[in-house]
Amino acid sequence: MAAIPLSRTCPIRIISVHFLGAAGELLRVLFLDREGHITAQPHYVPRGEALILAANQQRVLGAQGRVQVL
């Protein structure tokens, strides 16, 4: 039986927000909750919502951060 990648089957995601310094170095990693608030604790978000929240947060942060859906 072939293994199915977890990333394609898992309907729930965590959104991480990586804040970057002026030279691009990682300063801090935080998370987004379902309302789009930045928190210290990871929150599980449905995949569709996670992709939308991550895209919106990336627009807000611009070059100051990197948003990833895990």
Side-chain angles (χ1 to χ4, degrees):
M1 177 184 275
I4 299 172
L6 181 63
S7 63
R8 294 183 188 250
T9 61
C10 184
I12 299 177
R13 303 283 195 232
I14 296 173
I15 307 168
S16 67
V17 180
H18 299 222
F19 289 97
L20 306 175
E25 74 276 8
L26 180 63
L27 298 177
R28 189 158 188 195
V29 177
L30 295 172
F31 304 93
L32 284 181
D33 65 9
R34 287 188 75 169
E35 288 81 35
H37 299 113
I38 295 175
T39 67
Q41 297 295 324
H43 293 269
Y44 295 101
V45 180
R47 184 180 184 274
E49 288 179 41
L51 295 173
I52 292 169
L53 286 168
N56 290 340
Q57 189 64 39
Q58 186 63 63
R59 284 187 198 108
V60 170
L61 290 176
Q64 296 176 346
R66 183 176 65 238
V67 181
Q68 296 179 331
V69 177
L70 307 174

